[in-house]
Amino acid sequence: MKKLTRKEEVIMNHFWDHGPLFVRELRELYPEPRPHFSTLSTQVRTLQEAGFIGHKAYGPTYQYYARVSREEYKQRSLIWLIDKYFDNSYISAVSALVKEEKITVGELRELIDLVEKQP
């Protein structure tokens, strides 16, 4: 799965937050100045080609919907990040978080407890 650009992520967040949308409805969710309809339509079609979005036809117009959930994207992004920047080592990733004081040893212990309690 490809990594979303910043603009694509904004679009996907709208679909994740609001469900299926027509491009005109998607456009209305943006603050002024809103993107042009054709620009937004092109971006949606690009996301569709990448497999992130599907559509249902209503005559000549399409209603688009997310084919990838937010959770699935977060999971795949984490895997991609660890693979690319931590040589596919989860230990290196967690170690970096501890070193940068983004996670405490106590939080790590809590995490270990949660994992050990899982069936």
Side-chain angles (χ1 to χ4, degrees):
M1 173 183 289
K2 81 174 198 112
K3 183 155 175 20
L4 295 172
T5 66
R6 188 175 174 104
K7 288 180 181 182
E8 289 171 337
E9 210 168 293
V10 169
I11 292 170
M12 288 305 298
N13 276 314
H14 286 308
F15 282 106
W16 289 326
D17 293 341
H18 301 282
L21 297 164
F22 293 95
V23 174
R24 64 180 156 68
E25 293 172 324
L26 176 63
R27 187 174 179 271
E28 291 299 314
L29 296 173
Y30 283 82
E32 293 289 348
R34 292 185 174 99
H36 290 281
F37 180 91
S38 60
T39 301
L40 205 50
S41 184
T42 299
Q43 291 170 330
V44 167
R45 282 194 308 277
T46 300
L47 285 166
Q48 184 177 8
E49 289 169 10
F52 285 95
I53 292 177
H55 76 269
K56 184 174 181 183
Y58 291 93
T61 186
Y62 295 138
Q63 184 182 46
Y64 296 92
Y65 59 90
R67 293 187 69 198
V68 174
S69 71
R70 180 181 273 137
E71 287 305 311
E72 184 180 356
Y73 182 69
K74 285 194 306 191
Q75 184 71 21
R76 288 184 181 185
S77 295
L78 180 60
I79 291 167
W80 174 84
L81 180 79
I82 291 171
D83 182 45
K84 180 170 175 126
Y85 294 106
F86 295 97
D87 199 28
N88 208 25
S89 169
Y90 289 79
I91 290 174
S92 293
V94 172
S95 176
L97 292 171
V98 171
K99 191 182 295 183
E100 293 294 319
E101 298 179 359
K102 302 293 183 190
I103 188 171
T104 66
V105 173
E107 289 170 326
L108 275 176
R109 286 192 181 105
E110 283 180 44
L111 182 59
I112 291 167
D113 289 343
L114 283 173
V115 170
E116 288 178 340
K117 289 178 184 175
Q118 287 184 356

